[in-house]
Amino acid sequence: MAVTAAATAPAATPEAEPVPIFDVGIDDKVKISSSIGLGVQNILGMAGLLIFPALIGTAFKLSATDTAYLYGVTFMTSGLVVILQSVFLLRLPIVQGPYAGSLAALLAVGHGKGGLGAAFGSMVVAGLIWCVLAIPIKKYGLVTYLSKFVRDPIICGVLVLILATQLTSTALPNVLGTPGSPGFPGMNLVSGLVTALVVILLTLLPKGTILRRGAVLVAVVVGTVVYAIFEPTHFAGVVHNVGFTVPRIFPFGFSVDGELVLIFFITLFPAIAESIATYDIVAGWGGQELSGYRVSQGVFGEVLGSTVGAVFGGMSTLAYPDNIGLLRVTKVGSRYVTLATGVILLVLGGLGPFDHLLQAVPLPVLAAAGTVLFGVLFASAIDALSGVHWSRDNLMLAGFPFITAIGGLFVPPATMKVLPQVVQLILQQPLILGTVLLLLMKAGYGLRRKESSAS
């Protein structure tokens, strides 16, 4: 993608035209059969989508039926937003999935007064506030103004770098598993290694090759077969759980708490900033210009989908980092593949047997495939930063937020317990802390330059 010098460079340089890297362009159509295969691959690359509902079910001791419902409504929410983004609003190949920040917030506050009913009710109110703030306005919208900051290559690059680094906690640890779990540690490592190797080897094939485009899907199938040869799996349960998931309004009750609204409002902010950075990267890969108005449309679709999802008990969505890495690996940038992904998500979310199929795919296999994609995402952030003019200001702007944000993961539990709940959430989510620090420092540098120019 084209990268311009940061604002602190000695002299302004004109922005170069974006250089496409996709073999299949953003507006190119793909055969239906290929779109379906690539769409399924997209879903298999969404680690959070496949794991988060189960984590909520376990944390709140929900029944198997309620956990299956969470899977269904999370899939349907993601599918709805993906369809909106691919053909009606953003019009980019951006796959939306459940946001780790929302999961962390739910786990942090869902056991408090009002339980999940207050958590989801407050999430809806926070989402509605963001919907109003994100209404697409061509020149003067808040998101249009925010995008000017976020789309600076140094802000964009560091945000993605923080996100990719944070995702490492779901990579190798989930490949290894835990003591006492099936396959630990030997079979988990073997199946994970096979999965990762298949992804890497298939991506080295010539462009346009079917196996290259379906690298992750093929790798997950191969890894699952290898695992199933030596360890028990639960695919038999798929045929015994026939039924449909029907969304219910506020299935866990409804109430609103002001403090929780603030928490969820803050939680959505970095998701929006990260999504804007992702839009910019993907548009550059496809050789497309991205206006502030188009960014506003994308953010509005994202927060609208998150709000609707919360009404039915689903989580907030953001542009999914796993799939950004997948775009770079397959080099298929067609938004019609993304449309197919949304339709598949919407349909599968209503099918009971599919929830059990998800639970049968070994976690080490999914985590290993995700690890390769996270690595590609990390390298893409380095690529985005490669054209930055590394002045003293920019070194400070990139370094301090990154180190501080990641450092929050290592704050001792005893220290965390005595801090306010909002502060705990910010420190435990590097993307939240990093986004706040980046934008505050960027705004501060901008004010300093204006004062220097005035004097």
Side-chain angles (χ1 to χ4, degrees), residues 21-45:
I21 69 163
F22 292 138
D23 295 336
V24 179
I26 288 175
D27 294 320
D28 293 345
K29 294 185 178 180
V30 179
K31 291 181 180 179
I32 294 179
S33 57
S34 297
S35 293
I36 293 174
L38 291 168
V40 172
Q41 178 174 254
N42 270 330
I43 294 170
L44 290 174

Side-chain angles (χ1 to χ4, degrees), residues 51-86:
I51 298 171
F52 290 175
L55 293 179
I56 294 176
T58 301
F60 294 97
K61 296 181 173 57
L62 299 180
S63 66
T65 300
D66 283 341
T67 301
Y69 173 82
L70 280 177
Y71 266 111
V73 76
T74 301
F75 264 71
M76 286 187 278
T77 299
S78 298
L80 172 65
V81 181
V82 169
I83 292 170
L84 285 174
Q85 298 289 56
S86 60

Side-chain angles (χ1 to χ4, degrees), residues 159-218:
L159 278 177
V160 177
L161 201 63
I162 290 172
L163 180 63
T165 305
Q166 181 179 352
L167 287 170
T168 58
S169 63
T170 66
L172 184 58
N174 282 331
V175 174
L176 285 169
T178 56
S181 63
F184 176 85
M187 201 58 237
N188 290 351
L189 280 173
V190 170
S191 60
L193 180 61
V194 168
T195 302
L197 283 175
V198 171
V199 174
I200 294 170
L201 291 175
L202 291 183
T203 57
L204 297 178
L205 295 173
K207 69 177 183 178
T209 306
I210 294 178
L211 287 178
R212 173 177 165 174
R213 292 182 177 180
V216 173
L217 177 58
V218 172

